[in-house]
Amino acid sequence: MTLLRVIITASLLAFILTLVDLQDVARLVSSANTPLLLAALFVALADRLLMVAKWYPLLRIQNVSVSFTRATRAYLASGVAHYFLPASVGADVLRATVLGRAGRFIIEVGASIVAERALGLVASALMSLLSLMIAVRMGLPVELIFPWALFAVFAGVVILVVPLNQRVLHTVRNARILRRMGRLRSYVERFADTYTIYRSHVGVLVVIGWLTVLEQLFPIAILWLLGQALGLSVGLLAAIVAVPLTTFVVRLPISLGGLGVGEGALVYLLGLFGISPTEALTLALSTRLVEVLVNAGPSIFLWRDLVGARRLGPQPS
């Protein structure tokens, strides 16, 4: 499966490169406005901190006794997994393991991550629907993405809400297949009991849901700032349409870290607004560089969190 993803990634990137003039890409990058580039990087870092801040209350509800600093370190350290393991899921599994294995609360950390991701899926899909509606009103050919976005909203709501229902929980516990799982059954039941704690914290879920919607605006700001830094005529409306839809497409687990898929989607979507393939690819590569710096960069300094968590016990808040 990994080999297939490598082949798909390489093929997509090779095809995109045939559409652009690499000399023009180099010219655009060399003439970029440094303060605006740094501003985009600052926004990206703020985005990462907001991600941690809206996840941490979900973690604390699980009575996981770790400090915000420790949670932030685990979140940032696991970011490198995004490029080697399945999109999102790989980094999430690593985060749960890094943070939970020493104190034996991996399941509790996992429950907080599932709730966070479900809220993120709903928020991302809602933002994509907004982008789609704007694009359709402008007469852009993006109707085929509508069913996918609607399904994502539905899936996010199901993942978030259905497990909190007592009847669903009772049905799962009495399912024949679960009774045959042996020791694994205890882990499933523990996760169910852990996740249903959120039934008593609806207010927290609502607040974090709105923060998650707010967080969707940060990537839009990053792309717009990078466009200004490169001297490209990327309007705010183009960013509002292109970024959520590109982010949505990148979730498809068909390439390494979304490489090739994200660049191709951005080249196509920005092309609808008159941005040339060369300009769009330059912008996509700049966005990718910022992403790598804030995702994989911290792991260089926090690698001990990945290999040494077994020696760390629960820490006070």
Side-chain angles (χ1 to χ4, degrees):
M1 189 65 176
T2 301
L3 178 59
L4 178 61
R5 293 171 66 198
V6 170
I7 294 173
I8 291 174
T9 300
S11 300
L12 288 172
L13 290 176
F15 173 72
I16 294 170
L17 289 176
T18 64
L19 304 177
V20 303
D21 186 326
L22 293 181
Q23 289 185 341
D24 284 345
V25 171
R27 177 183 55 79
L28 286 170
V29 172
S30 63
S31 62
N33 183 296
T34 301
L36 286 175
L37 291 177
L38 293 176
L41 184 60
F42 175 80
V43 173
L45 290 171
D47 185 23
R48 299 297 290 177
L49 291 178
L50 177 57
M51 290 179 183
V52 181
K54 64 185 179 62
W55 164 57
Y56 189 66
L58 297 173
L59 181 65
R60 294 292 293 156
I61 287 173
Q62 296 296 337
N63 294 317
V64 175
S65 183
V66 295
S67 66
F68 181 76
T69 299
R70 172 66 181 144
T72 301
R73 289 176 65 90
Y75 199 108
L76 295 177
S78 62
V80 68
H82 174 75
Y83 301 99
F84 304 102
L85 299 175
S88 297
V89 176
D92 291 342
V93 171
L94 187 59
R95 189 195 341 166
T97 303
V98 166
L99 196 59
R101 65 183 176 184
R104 296 184 177 180
F105 39 64
I106 291 178
I107 291 178
E108 286 74 13
V109 177
S112 71
I113 293 174
V114 169
E116 176 207 6
R117 287 301 183 184
L119 289 168
L121 182 59
V122 173
S124 176
L126 288 175
M127 184 61 71
S128 296
L129 286 174
L130 175 61
S131 298
L132 284 167
M133 286 187 287
I134 294 174
V136 169
R137 293 196 63 175
M138 295 179 65
L140 303 179
V142 293
E143 294 87 346
L144 291 177
I145 308 179
F146 257 116
W148 185 15
L150 288 172
F151 173 77
V153 173
F154 174 76
V157 172
V158 168
I159 294 171
L160 180 66
V161 175
V162 170
L164 301 179
N165 186 278
Q166 284 280 21
R167 183 175 298 179
V168 172
L169 185 60
H170 177 75
T171 301
V172 171
R173 280 179 168 166
N174 289 280
R176 183 177 300 178
I177 188 173
L178 188 62
R179 292 200 298 268
R180 295 176 178 175
M181 285 184 175
R183 185 178 179 182
L184 184 59
R185 176 179 180 177
S186 63
Y187 293 113
V188 175
E189 291 184 336
R190 180 179 167 188
F191 178 85
D193 290 337
T194 299
Y195 191 81
T196 52
I197 291 174
Y198 293 117
R199 278 203 303 258
S200 304
H201 300 275
V202 176
V204 175
L205 294 178
V206 171
V207 171
I208 294 176
W210 280 112
L211 287 175
T212 304
V213 172
L214 174 65
E215 191 268 325
Q216 305 298 311
L217 301 178
F218 281 69
I220 295 174
I222 293 169
L223 183 127
W224 183 82
L225 282 169
L226 289 173
Q228 303 310 302
L230 294 169
L232 305 179
S233 56
V234 179
L236 190 57
L237 189 60
I240 291 173
V241 171
V243 173
L245 296 182
T246 298
T247 303
F248 203 60
V249 170
V250 166
R251 293 179 184 273
L252 284 172
I254 60 176
S255 68
L256 296 175
L259 285 170
V261 176
E263 285 74 14
L266 201 57
V267 167
Y268 170 73
L269 290 167
L270 289 178
L272 299 177
F273 289 88
I275 307 298
S276 72
T278 296
E279 294 175 334
L281 180 62
T282 305
L283 187 53
L285 293 176
S286 301
T287 304
R288 181 69 69 177
L289 177 60
V290 169
E291 176 193 299
V292 170
L293 288 175
V294 298
N295 276 340
S299 298
I300 298 174
F301 304 98
L302 301 175
W303 65 272
R304 290 182 182 274
D305 290 73
L306 300 178
V307 300
R310 192 180 299 278
R311 298 190 294 273
L312 298 171
Q315 298 182 12
S317 57

